[in-house]
Amino acid sequence: MRAHPTDAVRYVVVLLTGLLGLAGFGAAASEVRQPIAIQFTLDRPINAAAAPFVMADVDGLFGSEGLTVTTDIASGSPDAIARVAAGTSDVALVDINELIRFRGQSGAAPIKAVFVLFNRSPYAIVARKSRGIRVLSDIEGKTLGVAEGDLSIRLWPALARHNGIKIANVRQSTISAAVREPMLSAGQFDAVSGFSYLSAVNLRDRGVPADDLAVLRYADYGCEAYGFAVIVNPAFAAAKPGAVKGFLRAAIAGTHLAIHQPGRAADEVVSRMDGGSRDLELERLRTLISDNILTGEVKRDGIGGIDPARFERSIDQVAEDFKFQKRPSAADIFDGAFLPPLGGRLVN
């Protein structure tokens, strides 16, 4: 049967329309598949604490979420928070207690944490038992080395009062962070303030016997503080909530990998360091997993979230030695809306 000329014209029009539609669909699909770029900031040079994010990158977990993540290094939590506030970073890993202080200032950008990596803060007094310090109350009459920019010392007065320690009876000496552990190992101080997974592990690496170290963790003496958390630029979160959720899913999966494959995680971390030690970072990773990440609260309630009542108490502890222009609430600091359901946050 021969086609009528009119029918032939109609056929060609339909065919061309279909082809154009397919071309448009292909362009749209290509646009959807375009990865979303995220600028991620660490508040310090890479060490074992960054293992979850390193593993998420190495194993392509960010990529599978449609993200390309670029990492840079800030000079500390205040600097990292400032970058997120300015929009030069989209996401950052910072000490959540510094975020509390930032939000306590009038006119502060409404930055919030969306994921808590360290369920317990790593703040600690690391002391020499041979200098007569075995428990926190032994610190009176001793000399405490405090590194410039140390975050743990900011909650020390509240911790001391809570434990009946007279702060005036503890001599403090401000030093460079570079000489904190060497000076303690040389006996120039009785104790130093810092992070348990940093100072204590560094001291053992310097040859101080483990049985001569007293690691007095703030969390064991009534400190309610959480530790490192992921914060996000509010404009980025509003514009690309799916990207924030994907970043957190990848970070949680990376945390699983760091917990279950610590040796491989340490290898990957060290490969990104200048002169890092695999043995040192592996010990550091195991320490922070047991002390700060995989706590009883996390095993019960999943990783990433907060207990609102506990968090309010931690804000009160920060307020003991920081004058808020306006006291922030837990809801001002933390937004759990980007976290996956509990089933996606359980870690064991």
Side-chain angles (χ1 to χ4, degrees), residues 137-196:
S137 57
D138 294 334
I139 198 73
E140 287 199 50
K142 305 297 184 180
T143 301
L144 179 66
V146 181
E148 296 171 348
D150 176 49
L151 298 177
S152 65
I153 201 63
R154 303 190 72 175
L155 275 179
W156 163 242
L159 186 75
R161 282 193 295 272
H162 181 78
N163 287 275
I165 295 169
K166 295 180 180 178
I167 299 176
N169 292 345
V170 181
R171 296 183 296 276
Q172 289 189 24
S173 180
T174 302
I175 54 174
S176 165
V179 299
R180 173 173 46 196
E181 287 82 22
M183 291 183 75
L184 181 62
S185 63
Q188 294 174 266
F189 299 118
D190 303 305
V192 295
S193 62
F195 288 179
S196 56

Side-chain angles (χ1 to χ4, degrees), residues 259-282:
I259 290 171
H260 295 295
Q261 301 176 35
R264 187 164 77 89
D267 288 336
E268 296 294 348
V269 166
V270 170
S271 72
R272 288 159 175 74
M273 299 173 66
D274 292 329
S277 163
R278 195 252 189 195
D279 290 343
L280 197 61
E281 294 310 313
L282 179 56

Side-chain angles (χ1 to χ4, degrees), residues 295-319:
T295 67
E297 187 175 308
V298 166
K299 291 177 181 178
R300 181 184 69 244
D301 300 331
I303 195 170
I306 61 165
D307 177 312
R310 173 189 161 189
F311 197 68
E312 290 288 355
R313 293 193 298 271
S314 77
I315 295 173
D316 287 338
Q317 290 180 336
V318 170

Side-chain angles (χ1 to χ4, degrees), residues 222-247:
C223 181
E224 300 267 28
Y226 289 86
F228 283 106
V230 171
I231 64 172
V232 64
N233 175 274
F236 182 86
K240 301 177 180 177
V244 177
K245 292 179 180 179
F247 183 92

Side-chain angles (χ1 to χ4, degrees), residues 48 197 201 258-259 261-263 266 278-294:
Y197 72 91
V201 174
I259 290 171
Q261 301 176 35
R278 195 252 189 195
D279 290 343
L280 197 61
E281 294 310 313
L282 179 56
E283 182 180 1
R284 204 184 308 285
L285 178 58
R286 286 173 169 158
T287 298
L288 64 87
I289 287 171
S290 62
D291 292 351
N292 309 114
I293 295 178
L294 202 53

Side-chain angles (χ1 to χ4, degrees), residues 96 99-100 103 111-113 311 315 328-335:
I96 200 168
L99 178 64
I100 292 170
R103 290 300 308 272
I111 298 170
K112 294 185 180 183
F311 197 68
I315 295 173
S329 67
D332 292 325
I333 305 298
F334 183 79
D335 182 0

